[in-house]
Structures are given as C-alpha cells and as structure tokens.
Amino acid sequence: MGKYKPLDPLEVPRFAGIRSFWRLPHLKEIPKDADFVIVGIPFDTGASYRVGARYGPEAIRSQSLILRTHNPVLDISPFEYCSGIDYGDIQVIPGFIEHSYETIEKEYRSIIDKEVIPIGLGGDHSITLAELRAIAKKYGPVALVQFDSHTDTDPDYYGHKYNHGTPFIRAVEEGLLLTEHSIQIGIRGSTYSKDEIDKARELGFEIVTAEEMFKLGVDKVARMIQERVGDAKVFVTFDIDFIDPAYAPGTGTPEVGGPSSREALELIRKGLKGLDFVGFDLVEVYPQYDPGFITSLLAANIIFEFISLIALNKKEGKRRERLDATNRKESPGNKV
C-alpha cells in the first residue's frame, strides 16, 4: 500500500483542504519511497498567441479533487502499488525563458535524482525542453511520445530560438531524444509552410496526423506507439490541444478536427501501457478560456491515467518478482 496517497474522500470531504493535486501530501523534500512527483511549472511567456497557462497548474489541481482512487478501465487502484506527492510549483521567472529554463532544469535534476517519475503541470509547451535537458543528464537521450496538434519544431520565432513552437527541434539539436523511437500524434491545422510536417519527419520523428489517426483507428495507432518506442526509456508530453476544442476549449492555440476526450483516454491506456516511463508532462491549459472547467477537469483525468500506468508497471514488477521467486524455489537445483 502506498504510503503517500490522497486523503480518503469518505473521511475528509473532497471540497475541503489545500488544493494539492488529488489532495496528495504537499512535500518539498522527496521521500525515498515515493514513485512519482507532481510538479507545477507555471511558465507561459513562451506562448505565441494567448498567455494564461501560468494558471494551468492551479486549475488542474482544483479539478483533480473529484478523482477517486480506483481506475475501473485499467482495473488498478494506483495507491495499492505506488506512492506520490505534490511538490508544488517551480519558481519560474515570467518573461525570461532562458533563465526559467535554468531554474526548471536545476530543480528537475534534484527531483529525478531521487529515482522518482516527475509529472509536470504546465505552463506552455516551451517548458518541455528544460525537462528533457534534466532527463537526458540522468538517463541519456530518451524516446518521446508527443500528443499534440502541432509538431513544435519551428526553427525559430521572430529570430529567437525559444518559444512554445520550438522545443523539439532544439531537443533534437541538443541530442536529448532518440528520434528513431519517437512519435508525434494528432498533428493537424493550418501551417506556416507547405513542408512543415515533412521537415519534422526529416528530424527523425514518426508523425501520425489527425486525419491518419482517424483512418487507422485507436488500436492501430496504439500499436504504432508501442512498436516505435519499444524498450527505450520514454518521456510522454501531452499538449491539451491534441483534443478537439469542443472537449478542451481552454487552451492557447486550439485546432479543430481533433479526437474526443474518450478517444484520447483510450489511446493513452492502450498506447502507453507497459512503456518504460522516465517522465510526463501536460501543458497548455488556459483556465480563462475554459467554460465549466471542462479542460482542466480533462487534464486532471489524463494525469490520473498516467499515474495508473505507473502503478500498472509497479504491479507487473511485483508479479515478476513473485514468479522469479517461485521459479527459483522450484528449480531442480533447489530440490532436496
């Protein structure tokens, strides 16, 4: 049973208490027996259209209060197998992206050095570059699974290297990614040039556009993710604009023609199951454009799926340990 887990909603009402994610313990010191850490990264001045994702972590935490403790689709109660805490927010510097990158990377290193899986709450998508820098210093280059309506591989923006449309071309240039194991899913919408998607493919990414995704179906795309990533360590980045704005209107650069929330959840469960995770993030939630909090509620539920997948890996690891122990006892060399 996980030591660090949410308050019991049958003992403490869900609307009561401080707004940590899922009402997890808020701790700045990472416990030795924690498996994952929720980390707010409220930086949004890397955005090119709307700003306001700095309030994303707060909104996601607030809507996470409705979460219960069992995932009936994956048939897992996460805190029977893993522990987690809410670290709070990294102190970014609004308007100063390179300084904020240094702060994010430094603090992320102190988190992942404790052998936990960080789950970042954005913030705009520019923050992922700093996360990947920290991840790569710990694990070397990793696979990337990117759910997004944009490739975010623009070479620059008004002559500057860093904004929320550039993190993954920079990550490739800096050697942070195993592009041969990386995939971008859901790409759609108007582009700045005819060859924008082709240029992302030339960087080494496998790309599944939204149109291709609908033609192939969830099961086929899920298998493509599994085959592409394989046994590589993987970082999962989820831009909420991957989902159609009918279901997630509260975002910075909405693109019509995307999947529903149900389709997105199914793809997460099937496509990510069993992968070797080193980190997650969810970005681009803008509460001021979010009627009824439906976007931040969806974001909280997506993170619930991420945590469930971490727990499934722990459960499978424990099952393998039991099988190995049984096999050792039953092996011929151990018989009298």
Side-chain angles (χ1 to χ4, degrees), residues 93-149:
I93 302 91
F96 296 89
I97 192 167
E98 293 180 61
H99 194 161
S100 290
Y101 277 172
E102 293 172 5
T103 301
I104 295 165
E105 181 184 347
K106 180 180 179 181
E107 205 149 350
Y108 244 63
R109 280 298 307 276
S110 70
I111 293 169
I112 61 178
D113 282 346
K114 301 293 178 64
E115 307 296 332
V116 297
I117 298 174
I119 303 175
L121 311 181
D124 68 53
H125 219 159
S126 68
I127 66 171
T128 307
L129 179 60
E131 295 173 84
L132 289 171
R133 285 173 174 172
I135 293 286
K137 286 182 178 176
K138 171 73 172 178
Y139 299 104
V142 297
L144 179 77
V145 175
Q146 179 183 345
F147 297 91
D148 208 327
S149 62

Side-chain angles (χ1 to χ4, degrees), residues 101 125-126 128-129 132 152 163-172:
Y101 277 172
H125 219 159
S126 68
T128 307
L129 179 60
L132 289 171
D152 294 346
N163 89 328
H164 72 162
T166 66
F168 301 114
I169 191 170
R170 300 285 94 85
V172 172

Side-chain angles (χ1 to χ4, degrees), residues 16 83 91 97 109 111 115 134 137 145 148 221 233 266-267 270 273-274 284 313 335:
S83 289
Q91 301 303 306
I97 192 167
R109 280 298 307 276
I111 293 169
E115 307 296 332
K137 286 182 178 176
V145 175
D148 208 327
V221 176
K233 294 186 180 301
E266 185 180 5
L267 186 55
K270 293 179 177 179
K273 188 176 181 180
E284 300 282 350
N313 282 357
K335 291 182 178 179

Side-chain angles (χ1 to χ4, degrees), residues 260-279:
S260 68
S261 52
R262 187 196 65 79
E263 291 165 328
L265 292 173
E266 185 180 5
L267 186 55
I268 289 168
R269 293 165 183 152
K270 293 179 177 179
L272 301 182
K273 188 176 181 180
L275 299 184
D276 187 5
F277 307 114
V278 294

Side-chain angles (χ1 to χ4, degrees), residues 191-198:
T191 58
Y192 290 120
S193 65
K194 181 179 179 179
D195 59 354
E196 186 170 310
I197 293 176
D198 289 336

Side-chain angles (χ1 to χ4, degrees), residues 5 10 23 26 60 101 107 162 180 225 264 312:
K5 57 186 178 179
L10 298 178
R23 302 199 303 172
H26 172 38
I60 296 168
Y101 277 172
E107 205 149 350
Y162 304 113
E180 69 275 17
I225 296 170
L312 278 173

Side-chain angles (χ1 to χ4, degrees), residues 206-223:
E206 181 171 9
I207 294 180
V208 182
T209 66
E211 292 301 313
E212 292 167 339
M213 179 177 65
F214 290 125
K215 289 176 182 177
L216 293 168
V218 168
D219 287 345
K220 174 60 176 175
V221 176
R223 287 195 298 272

